[in-house]
Amino acid sequence: MIAAPEIPSEFSFTQDTDTRFSSDTDFSEDIDGRSTTSAKGKVRKRGKKAAGEKGKGGKGAGRINGHHQENGMENMMLFEVVKLGRSAMQSVVDDWIESYKHDRDVALLDLINFFIQCSGCKGVVSGEMFRNMQNSEIIRRMTEEFDEDSGDYPLTIAGPQWKKFKSSFCEFISVLVRQCQYSIIYDEYMMDTVISLLTGLSDSQVRAFRHTSTLAAMKLMTALVNVALNLSINMDNTQRQYEAERNKILAKRANDRLELLLQKRKELQENQDEIENMMNAIFKGVFVHRYRDAIAEIRAICIEEIGVWMKLYSDAFLNDSYLKYVGWTMHDKQGEVRLKCLTALQGLYYNRELNARLELFTSRFKDRIVSMTLDKEYDVAVQAIKLLTLVLNSTDEVLTPEDCESVYHLVYSAHRPVAIAAGEFLFKKLFSHREPEEEGAPKRRGRQSPTANLIKTTVFFFLESELHEHAAYLVDSLWDCGPELLKDWECMISLLLDDPLPGEEALTDRQETALIEIMLCTVRQAAECHPPVGRGTGKRVMTAKERKTQMDDKTRMTELFAVALPPLLAKYAMDSEKVTNLLQLPQYFDLEIYTTGRLEKHLESLLRQIREIVEKHTDTEVLEVCSKTYHSLCNEEFTIFNRVDIARSQLLDELVDKFNRLLEDFLQEGEEADEDDAYQVLSTLKRITAFHNAHDLSGWDLFTSNFKLLNTGIENGDMPEQVNTHTHKHRVKLYEHDTLSFSESSTRNLLRQMRAFCMMCQRYLTNVNTAVKEQAFTILCDLLLIFSHQMVSGGREHLEPLVYSSEDSLQSELLSFILNHVFIDQDDDTNSTDGQQDDEAVKIEALHKRRNLLAAYCKLIIYCVVDMKTGADIFKQYMRYYNDYGDIIKETMSKTRQIDKIQCAKTLILSLQQLFNEMLSDLGHGFDRSASSFCGIKELARRFSLTFGLDQVKTRDAIAMLHKDGIEFAFKDPSTQGEGGPPLNLAFLDILSEFSSKLMKQDKRTVHMYLERFMTFQMALQREDCWLPLISYRNSLQAGGDDDTMSVMSGYSSRGSSIRSKKIKPPAVTIVSHFGPSFPEESSSSEVWQQSMQTPVMLPSPHLTSTAMRDPKRGRDDSFMGTPQHIQTPMDYNSQVTWMLAQRQQEEARQQQERAMNYAKLRTNLQQAIRRGTGLMEEDEEPIVEDVMMSSEGRMDDLNEGMDFDTMDIDLPPSKNRRERSELKPDYFDPASIMDESVSSIGLLSPCV
């Protein structure tokens, strides 16, 4: 423990004095301001009341519990008044002060009970206890009065009435000290008693006491700091008056006034000494111990208040002796405490006058603050960045370039508050130094403006960060702190279009690209007024001011870019990346400005530039952004619609005519067509395909030409790859538009075209080119999904004639494609060309394509377009390709289970059967069950079992059907060795046992009986290795399934038996539908079946055994497993099997019974050992309890499997009194608070020396 330093006696504060007189000033000073009683040593201490004060212990006239009977609050104690919070706190405190003047013991007793009740304690401190017992005895007595069943207390209780309790509680303490600051707090009675009580409570093992008393003590300390501040100001004023009076000439000097001022200064000094003693007592008695408490809330309170003290009372507290506590606690494990440390330091670094005193602390803990910018708690990271920003404002020399760079990259954080804080730090560091403008000089604009260099700096920072796809994140981070910089679009345009000034270095091509991208992001941010994707927290309703700013920004940007965009497009027309970004600008324009601002000629220029770009470029991204720009400009709400629509129609007419002409020539040439002809067809087809994204081209008949092109590719087999690919894309977009613009007249034509196109795509699945096959497969999956039964949902029954159901041959080809092109090794993927197989980027791209293909097919399974059984070929690849497709396959299993649990279970078991058959074909029937392939199937079954979750009721039918199919498969093929040999698939039962844990207890018996229908008597007696799967599977069905039998036989607790008799097991009748049809129709078997359905417990023991009804108090009977002597006739097969099962189950029940008794004895011995001990706080008691409980964990796990704890209740012997119970449970709210100071400090903080 590091001793707290003494608080110096000299004070220096700047806060204004509080000149109001409190309610205790009527007997503290006379008219002249002289104190009638010395504040120190004049007032009798506790227990020394004068004779005249005897008999004043009763309640005053017209008072109840020391309070006035007014405002309808008679019989209400301080706790109730503060809890309600309806009265002004100052009037409540004034009432208490009046009571204290009348009888201080009664008033102080009320205050003590107030703190006790605020802790949630039911007890009340009586007057006799107050007079005759020490604080420790009172606290121990109050500990016994706590409610053991609840861990809540006023500071933690949720609810509207307790919501403001903490603030009212803190306000009461603050007002109490403020109203008593002139006399009562110096009487060496009230404050001594309160501080002593709070110190004792803060050291209690009970969390409620520690939490409440620590909060009270810290707020009391803060109030005393304010009192010390007033004393310091009064002393300064008194000293100044004394100096002024003494400097007067002797004739005008008033000696009486000098003596009065000297006496007043002496009294203030004595009061200041008293306040210092009180603060030292609270700091050393409470803070030093509780800042490292086991409870995070208590630690947070201490750190929060010490920050207030250092800010208010900097001369005394703002030094390294106190700052070290904040520095140490920055390593706390709880984010709440770390957050309080940062907020406390922000209040200190905000005042630049205090920076000199923080130099040593900054150098010592700077690295920790920098590392906290990456804190796992986002709130802590935000405050750490803000604290570094304040440090940056104080001095630039503290933070190194490495420290700043660790903050810079956070502007790209997905968490917006972190990014905003980092953006402010970046703005302060890079953009705070601006060139001062000369007074009277004209304002510079364009690239000559002061922001030009700042924009360049932003571009340089963006390029150095090497995150070129995240410009929107950078703009969003700087948006709040530098909107003027980011909205200076005129300067950005000037930097791109104007020539550089003499001596100025021009932007490079890479810098221009970055500037255009940043400019686009600023325009989008200003127009949409919401953060980029990944940072938004949902749509936020904008205020009227924000809407006005948005409209003003859109108007200004439209006026600027409507004029500047055509020249920019003309300058960068051949640069695909720059053109792509520039063409997105019109999407954010206010198109009305073209008309109101008389900018039609600039619109014509823009349309002309877009047309030229479409004719020059074949890049898909450029063409698609051109299409989107046309779509944005073709808005019927604006007057420019007709002009833009005419330009778009003219462009499409030319493209379609050119495509038909080129296609006719291309088809006529046949094999003589060269690459130039194919390129012309391809480029024109790309341009037409791009316009299908945003425009309806149903007015142009494109089906015939596209179908001819595809048919020619099938017949000749030499169609270029890209032509085939884009033709497929073009066709599927046509079907999407035709479906949306559906009419009855076009139903037959659309259905005919769709069927023909599907057959064409099916033929292309066997194409030589892989890319063409993948495109045909993707389009087929999309078409089957679009024209499936899902299209009639949502009130679209008129589309039912268009529903297309795939044939079995098509489903088979799609599945074969998946198996041959998706589930392949990375080295087998021949899609990469030009020797790039080893390129990591190419491998990732190839994997991404395969994942898309698998996802397309899995959607067909999920939406029931193809048979769910086809998913078995997908599910069986779960383990082998887990890293590549595990998430897709798992999600598919989850969705199919939601659709049909039973069919999904049948599909899972089918996948395991397929793998098992494949293994048999490779290894043969005599394989080793330790082989890796067999172990892999078992592991896959275990993974499948985990996907069913923990709710056995929901998956009951599915698990039962899974076991039924597995048992039938295991016994399907008889042994080639004859009747004595095992079935060929018997080893499959070892795989099936992985699902036994998912069966309910009563269903295990049903499945076991179903298994016996396939077994012969010889199978039950076999013990060779080849029969181990059957033995293990039967054991898995019997384990944990006989709890009801144990409940009948173990009669040790009548209370447990009564509870057991009321418990109702879930019915097992639902399983009959799954297992019933497979049973032979014999009457004997049906009777056993019905018996198992009605009574889901152990089979009834035959009359041969005599141990089932033995006295439970007797020891183990030697003849328990003996052979009965009165058997005269041999048992048939059913009787033999029943007798064997009964003997085995009774033996297991007896073993579980013995474990239960041992556990009961262990619990009893443990409780007696605890009662004999002197307390849990002794060093030799706690390890013993831990060792005993650790040794019993294994036994408890054994009992958990075979014992129903709902029906077995081990009662502890009743305690003799509440005192004894409190010894058993010393802490009622938090186990960690049992630790003493030496234990609680372990793992929380590591104080620095």
Side-chain angles (χ1 to χ4, degrees):
M1 182 68 66
I2 298 177
E6 295 291 340
I7 298 179
S9 58
E10 296 182 0
F11 296 77
S12 176
F13 298 102
T14 57
Q15 182 174 322
D16 295 335
T17 182
D18 187 1
T19 57
R20 295 177 299 169
F21 288 97
S22 69
S23 58
D24 67 340
T25 56
D26 54 348
F27 63 95
S28 61
E29 296 184 2
D30 58 9
I31 300 177
D32 297 333
R34 187 187 301 273
S35 176
T36 58
T37 305
S38 178
K40 190 172 182 179
K42 299 296 183 180
V43 180
R44 289 169 296 278
K45 293 187 177 181
R46 176 178 170 181
K48 298 181 180 180
K49 292 196 298 183
E53 295 180 48
K54 302 284 185 180
K56 291 185 179 182
K59 298 170 185 173
R63 310 178 67 84
I64 296 180
N65 290 333
H67 299 287
H68 287 293
Q69 300 181 27
E70 57 184 19
N71 298 329
M73 292 188 299
E74 59 262 8
N75 284 324
M76 294 185 69
M77 306 180 72
L78 278 176
F79 172 73
E80 298 294 336
V81 177
V82 174
K83 173 185 172 183
L84 294 176
R86 297 174 182 173
S87 303
M89 203 57 66
Q90 184 165 340
S91 63
V92 175
V93 173
D94 290 341
D95 289 344
W96 183 87
I97 292 177
E98 290 296 329
S99 174
Y100 187 84
K101 294 176 184 177
H102 183 76
D103 192 321
R104 60 183 186 180
D105 285 343
V106 173
L108 203 55
L109 184 61
D110 284 347
L111 189 60
I112 291 174
N113 281 316
F114 168 73
F115 288 117
I116 296 296
Q117 292 174 343
C118 288
S119 302
C121 181
K122 302 294 185 181
V124 177
V125 180
S126 63
E128 182 179 358
M129 294 169 58
F130 178 64
R131 289 188 296 271
N132 301 326
M133 297 175 64
Q134 297 294 327
N135 281 338
S136 59
E137 297 176 356
I138 295 176
I139 294 172
R140 185 159 52 252
R141 179 72 62 84
M142 293 299 104
T143 300
E144 301 173 4
E145 300 295 333
F146 261 94
D147 183 8
E148 301 177 11
D149 299 330
S150 175
D152 292 331
Y153 48 95
L155 291 181
T156 60
I157 297 177
Q161 63 176 347
W162 300 102
K163 187 175 181 179
K164 296 183 178 180
F165 175 80
K166 181 178 179 180
S167 60
S168 300
F169 176 71
C170 298
E171 182 185 2
F172 173 80
I173 297 174
S174 177
V175 174
L176 177 65
V177 175
R178 187 179 71 233
Q179 295 297 97
C180 299
Q181 65 177 320
Y182 294 103
S183 175
I184 294 180
I185 62 174
Y186 306 112
D187 65 0
E188 297 185 355
Y189 184 64
M190 190 269 284
M191 289 301 294
D192 290 351
T193 303
V194 172
I195 293 175
S196 176
L197 174 68
L198 295 179
T199 303
L201 289 174
S202 67
D203 199 32
S204 172
Q205 296 177 0
V206 179
R207 171 178 174 172
F209 276 153
R210 289 203 320 279
H211 188 183
T212 308
S213 60
T214 301
L215 176 62
M218 294 299 99
K219 293 298 180 180
L220 183 64
M221 179 80 166
T222 303
L224 291 176
V225 169
N226 285 308
V227 173
L229 179 62
N230 290 332
L231 287 175
S232 176
I233 295 174
N234 289 332
M235 285 184 63
D236 292 341
N237 292 337
T238 303
Q239 183 66 27
R240 187 166 51 254
Q241 293 175 6
Y242 176 80
E243 295 293 337
E245 188 67 26
R246 192 179 61 175
N247 292 334
K248 292 181 180 179
I249 59 177
L250 187 61
K252 295 184 178 181
R253 183 185 304 168
N255 294 329
D256 294 341
R257 181 170 176 78
L258 285 177
E259 292 179 1
L260 181 63
L261 291 174
L262 284 174
Q263 180 65 23
K264 185 177 181 181
R265 187 179 66 176
K266 181 181 178 181
E267 293 175 357
L268 290 174
Q269 184 63 47
E270 291 177 353
N271 293 343
Q272 189 179 38
D273 295 339
E274 287 288 334
I275 296 297
E276 290 179 8
N277 293 333
M278 297 176 194
M279 290 191 295
N280 276 322
I282 296 175
F283 187 85
K284 294 180 179 179
V286 180
F287 178 88
V288 172
H289 300 279
R290 299 278 70 82
Y291 88 96
R292 58 194 185 101
D293 193 276
I295 306 303
E297 297 175 357
I298 299 177
R299 302 197 298 272
I301 290 172
C302 295
I303 297 303
E304 180 181 11
E305 294 304 317
I306 197 176
V308 176
W309 307 338
M310 289 187 289
K311 185 177 180 181
L312 292 177
Y313 196 180
S314 58
D315 290 339
F317 287 97
L318 190 56
N319 54 60
D320 298 329
S321 299
Y322 293 95
L323 283 169
K324 64 184 178 183
Y325 295 107
V326 181
W328 293 342
T329 316
M330 283 195 296
H331 296 271
D332 197 282
K333 294 181 180 180
Q334 297 296 324
E336 176 188 2
V337 184
R338 300 194 299 271
L339 184 63
K340 294 297 181 182
C341 294
L342 295 174
T343 53
L345 291 174
Q346 287 177 12
L348 301 177
Y349 280 98
Y350 185 79
N351 188 356
R352 296 193 176 186
E353 298 178 357
L354 305 178
N355 290 336
R357 303 183 186 181
L358 295 168
E359 291 181 356
L360 182 59
F361 175 84
T362 304
S363 62
R364 171 65 181 82
F365 293 100
K366 179 198 66 175
D367 294 340
R368 174 56 185 163
I369 298 174
V370 172
S371 66
M372 293 175 74
T373 58
L374 299 176
D375 197 277
K376 65 179 181 179
E377 302 287 345
Y378 287 124
D379 294 340
V380 177
V382 170
Q383 298 304 324
I385 298 173
K386 291 183 178 180
L387 179 59
L388 289 177
T389 305
L390 293 176
V391 174
L392 188 66
N393 290 336
S394 61
T395 174
D396 294 337
E397 301 176 355
V398 176
L399 299 178
T400 63
E402 292 76 13
D403 297 334
C404 296
E405 289 176 2
S406 63
V407 182
Y408 289 161
H409 74 278
L410 294 177
V411 296
Y412 298 105
S413 173
H415 191 261
R416 192 166 190 267
V418 173
I420 294 297
E424 183 178 357
F425 179 88
L426 175 66
F427 191 83
K428 293 286 185 183
K429 181 66 176 177
L430 299 182
F431 308 136
S432 58
H433 306 290
R434 298 191 179 186
E435 298 178 2
E437 295 187 9
E438 299 179 2
E439 296 183 359
K443 187 175 181 180
R444 294 176 295 174
R445 308 178 70 87
R447 68 185 309 138
Q448 298 181 358
S449 65
T451 59
N453 290 331
L454 301 182
I455 293 175
K456 291 181 181 179
T457 304
T458 306
V459 173
F460 299 155
F461 173 80
F462 175 60
L463 292 176
E464 290 177 0
S465 62
E466 298 181 354
L467 293 172
H468 307 301
E469 298 180 0
H470 297 79
Y473 279 51
L474 174 62
V475 170
D476 182 58
S477 301
L478 298 173
W479 192 257
D480 292 344
C481 55
E484 297 84 3
L485 169 67
L486 298 177
K487 293 180 183 179
D488 195 351
W489 296 304
E490 184 178 0
C491 179
M492 297 179 187
I493 294 172
S494 178
L495 289 173
L496 292 172
L497 291 178
D498 298 344
D499 295 332
L501 299 174
E504 182 184 7
E505 186 177 356
L507 295 176
T508 64
D509 180 73
R510 186 164 172 258
Q511 292 171 352
E512 289 179 342
T513 303
L515 177 57
I516 292 175
E517 185 176 359
I518 293 175
M519 182 175 65
L520 171 63
C521 294
T522 58
V523 169
R524 182 190 298 116
Q525 186 90 354
E528 296 180 350
C529 293
H530 65 75
V533 177
R535 276 193 184 172
T537 57
K539 291 186 177 180
R540 183 178 62 89
V541 179
M542 293 189 299
T543 62
K545 183 179 179 180
E546 291 174 340
R547 287 195 296 269
K548 184 179 183 302
T549 303
Q550 180 188 23
M551 295 304 301
D552 294 343
D553 290 341
K554 291 186 69 173
T555 300
R556 191 166 68 88
M557 80 172 67
T558 304
E559 293 173 348
L560 289 173
F561 286 103
V563 179
L565 184 57
L568 287 172
L569 292 174
K571 181 177 180 180
Y572 303 109
M574 300 308 298
D575 192 320
S576 299
E577 187 175 1
K578 294 186 178 68
V579 167
T580 301
N581 288 327
L582 289 173
L583 283 174
Q584 296 181 46
L585 293 175
Q587 301 177 21
Y588 309 102
F589 285 179
D590 182 5
L591 299 180
E592 191 66 28
I593 301 299
Y594 275 110
T595 303
T596 59
R598 298 181 181 275
L599 301 176
E600 289 85 356
K601 64 176 182 179
H602 297 287
L603 176 62
E604 294 288 346
S605 178
L606 174 62
L607 295 175
R608 187 166 54 252
Q609 291 295 331
I610 296 176
R611 179 177 181 140
E612 292 178 0
I613 291 173
V614 172
E615 294 174 350
K616 292 178 181 179
H617 286 269
T618 58
D619 185 77
T620 303
E621 189 175 1
V622 176
L623 296 175
E624 287 183 353
V625 75
C626 290
S627 175
K628 292 179 181 178
T629 303
Y630 271 116
H631 181 267
S632 300
L633 297 175
C634 287
N635 194 330
E636 297 180 359
E637 298 179 359
F638 301 99
T639 55
I640 65 173
F641 169 74
N642 292 330
R643 189 176 306 213
V644 179
D645 185 50
I646 292 173
R648 180 187 60 178
S649 300
Q650 291 176 352
L651 175 61
L652 289 175
D653 288 339
E654 292 182 4
L655 290 176
V656 173
D657 292 341
K658 181 179 180 181
F659 174 71
N660 291 330
R661 185 176 64 256
L662 291 173
L663 179 61
E664 184 177 356
D665 297 339
F666 181 78
L667 296 178
Q668 288 179 357
E669 293 177 0
E671 298 180 356
E672 299 178 358
D674 55 8
E675 294 182 358
D676 292 339
D677 296 334
Y679 176 77
Q680 292 293 333
V681 174
L682 175 62
S683 59
T684 308
L685 185 61
K686 279 185 176 181
R687 296 185 179 99
I688 297 176
T689 304
F691 276 84
H692 274 289
N693 292 330
H695 305 274
D696 183 10
L697 301 187
S698 58
W700 291 266
D701 183 17
L702 297 172
F703 176 82
T704 304
S705 56
N706 278 274
F707 193 80
K708 286 181 181 179
L709 186 60
L710 290 175
N711 194 31
T712 303
I714 288 291
E715 294 176 354
N716 299 336
D718 56 353
M719 184 69 64
E721 170 190 339
Q722 293 184 340
V723 174
N724 269 325
T725 303
H726 283 275
T727 305
H728 281 91
K729 291 181 180 178
H730 178 62
R731 286 305 311 142
V732 74
K733 293 180 184 299
L734 279 178
Y735 285 124
E736 291 174 357
H737 285 292
D738 290 344
T739 303
L740 295 176
S741 58
F742 172 79
S743 62
E744 294 184 3
S745 59
S746 61
T747 301
R748 184 173 301 176
N749 185 35
L750 179 60
L751 186 60
R752 178 182 57 81
Q753 293 179 1
M754 186 266 295
R755 291 182 180 274
F757 184 61
C758 286
M759 294 178 61
M760 183 70 67
C761 291
Q762 187 175 354
R763 295 171 63 186
Y764 266 99
L765 288 178
T766 58
N767 193 279
V768 178
N769 192 283
T770 304
V772 175
K773 288 192 292 185
E774 291 177 352
Q775 187 66 47
F777 175 84
T778 304
I779 292 176
L780 270 175
C781 292
D782 292 341
L783 284 177
L784 292 177
L785 196 60
I786 293 173
F787 292 94
S788 66
H789 60 278
Q790 302 285 338
M791 72 184 306
V792 299
S793 60
R796 293 176 294 183
E797 290 78 8
H798 59 282
L799 296 178
E800 188 174 359
L802 293 177
V803 175
Y804 177 70
S805 298
S806 59
E807 299 177 354
D808 294 339
S809 59
L810 178 58
Q811 295 185 22
S812 178
E813 287 194 37
L814 292 176
L815 180 59
S816 299
F817 181 88
I818 286 292
L819 297 178
N820 297 330
H821 293 81
V822 174
F823 295 108
I824 57 177
D825 295 332
Q826 190 74 31
D827 297 335
D828 297 338
D829 186 11
T830 59
N831 192 28
S832 302
T833 57
D834 301 331
Q836 295 179 334
Q837 288 85 353
D838 297 333
D839 188 1
E840 192 66 26
V842 175
K843 290 182 179 180
I844 294 175
E845 181 65 23
L847 176 61
H848 182 66
K849 289 182 179 179
R850 294 197 300 270
R851 285 175 57 87
N852 288 337
L853 295 175
L854 179 60
Y857 185 78
C858 288
K859 283 191 292 185
L860 300 181
I861 300 176
I862 293 173
Y863 288 99
C864 302
V865 179
V866 298
D867 192 357
M868 190 181 295
K869 288 184 178 181
T870 59
D873 293 281
I874 307 295
F875 297 161
K876 68 182 182 182
Q877 310 289 347
Y878 181 63
M879 286 293 298
R880 183 179 178 184
Y881 296 95
Y882 180 80
N883 293 331
D884 294 340
Y885 318 117
D887 55 338
I888 299 176
I889 298 176
K890 186 176 181 180
E891 183 66 18
T892 305
M893 286 190 290
S894 176
K895 294 296 185 181
T896 53
R897 185 175 292 113
Q898 295 176 12
I899 297 172
D900 191 341
K901 295 183 178 65
I902 296 178
Q903 190 60 35
C904 176
K906 293 173 72 68
T907 304
L908 292 178
I909 200 65
L910 178 60
S911 64
L912 296 174
Q913 293 170 5
Q914 292 178 358
L915 287 175
F916 187 82
N917 288 330
E918 293 174 3
M919 183 197 65
L920 290 181
S921 62
D922 295 337
L923 303 180
H925 294 284
F927 68 93
D928 184 5
R929 287 191 295 114
S930 62
S932 59
S933 57
F934 183 76
C935 294
I937 301 176
K938 284 197 63 176
E939 178 62 20
L940 178 61
R942 189 185 69 84
R943 296 289 186 93
F944 284 169
S945 176
L946 293 177
T947 61
F948 283 95
L950 300 176
D951 193 343
Q952 294 180 333
V953 177
K954 290 183 178 179
T955 61
R956 185 181 185 185
D957 293 346
I959 293 294
M961 178 58 68
L962 186 145
H963 280 273
K964 176 180 178 296
D965 290 355
I967 293 173
E968 293 175 355
F969 175 77
F971 291 92
K972 181 178 64 173
D973 298 329
S975 174
T976 57
Q977 303 174 4
E979 296 183 357
L984 297 181
N985 299 335
L986 186 66
F988 189 78
L989 294 178
D990 205 1
I991 300 172
L992 191 61
S993 62
E994 297 292 340
F995 297 92
S996 297
S997 61
K998 297 300 179 181
L999 282 169
M1000 299 185 70
K1001 295 175 183 179
Q1002 56 267 41
D1003 294 345
K1004 286 185 178 181
R1005 175 170 306 285
T1006 306
V1007 174
H1008 186 271
M1009 293 183 62
Y1010 186 69
L1011 174 66
E1012 290 181 346
R1013 307 313 304 163
F1014 294 86
M1015 295 172 53
T1016 63
F1017 180 71
Q1018 289 79 10
M1019 290 183 182
L1021 302 178
Q1022 296 294 336
R1023 290 296 181 267
E1024 289 80 5
D1025 290 345
C1026 60
W1027 295 95
L1028 287 180
L1030 176 60
I1031 298 173
S1032 62
Y1033 183 58
R1034 292 182 64 194
N1035 292 336
S1036 67
L1037 296 178
Q1038 294 173 356
D1042 302 323
D1043 295 344
D1044 297 309
T1045 304
M1046 182 203 68
S1047 301
V1048 175
M1049 294 183 60
S1050 58
Y1052 291 96
S1053 175
S1054 59
R1055 180 172 179 266
S1057 300
S1058 63
I1059 297 176
R1060 188 181 302 110
S1061 64
K1062 297 178 182 179
K1063 186 175 180 180
I1064 301 176
K1065 295 284 185 177
V1069 179
T1070 56
I1071 313 297
V1072 177
S1073 60
H1074 305 315
F1075 293 93
S1078 298
F1079 280 88
E1081 297 180 356
E1082 289 104 10
S1083 60
S1084 60
S1085 62
S1086 62
E1087 291 175 359
V1088 176
W1089 176 261
Q1090 295 299 331
Q1091 185 180 10
S1092 65
M1093 290 296 98
Q1094 297 171 4
T1095 316
V1097 295
M1098 191 187 73
L1099 286 174
S1101 302
H1103 67 281
L1104 305 175
T1105 59
S1106 60
T1107 57
M1109 301 302 296
R1110 64 194 176 113
D1111 188 357
K1113 295 182 180 180
R1114 293 172 53 190
R1116 177 176 178 178
D1117 194 349
D1118 295 335
S1119 63
F1120 181 77
M1121 294 299 294
T1123 304
Q1125 301 298 325
H1126 58 278
I1127 300 178
Q1128 300 296 333
T1129 58
M1131 295 181 291
D1132 59 1
Y1133 167 74
N1134 289 334
S1135 300
Q1136 288 176 344
V1137 173
T1138 303
W1139 179 81
M1140 290 167 54
L1141 289 173
Q1143 296 298 327
R1144 180 183 301 173
Q1145 293 166 352
Q1146 289 176 0
E1147 175 64 17
E1148 291 175 354
R1150 183 191 57 76
Q1151 294 176 359
Q1152 294 169 352
Q1153 194 173 341
E1154 289 182 355
R1155 289 197 296 265
M1157 291 303 300
N1158 293 335
Y1159 177 70
K1161 292 178 181 179
L1162 179 66
R1163 290 282 300 270
T1164 305
N1165 295 336
L1166 175 61
Q1167 293 158 6
Q1168 293 175 357
I1170 294 177
R1171 290 194 182 92
R1172 287 195 301 267
T1174 56
L1176 288 178
M1177 294 302 296
E1178 294 188 4
E1179 297 179 355
D1180 59 340
E1181 284 292 329
E1182 193 169 358
I1184 295 176
V1185 175
E1186 291 180 357
D1187 293 341
V1188 172
M1189 296 307 293
M1190 288 292 291
S1191 64
S1192 64
E1193 285 182 359
R1195 300 183 182 180
M1196 292 176 67
D1197 291 340
D1198 294 339
L1199 289 174
N1200 288 337
E1201 182 178 359
M1203 184 178 297
D1204 191 350
F1205 284 101
D1206 292 336
T1207 62
M1208 183 172 181
D1209 192 7
I1210 302 175
D1211 295 328
L1212 295 176
S1215 301
K1216 296 180 180 179
N1217 49 41
R1218 295 186 65 88
R1219 185 66 172 272
E1220 189 174 9
R1221 294 167 66 187
S1222 66
E1223 292 176 358
L1224 287 176
K1225 292 185 177 181
D1227 184 23
Y1228 305 96
F1229 304 107
D1230 187 69
S1233 62
I1234 296 179
M1235 300 182 297
D1236 58 6
E1237 294 178 359
S1238 62
V1239 178
S1240 62
S1241 62
I1242 297 176
L1244 294 178
L1245 296 170
S1246 300
C1248 305
V1249 180

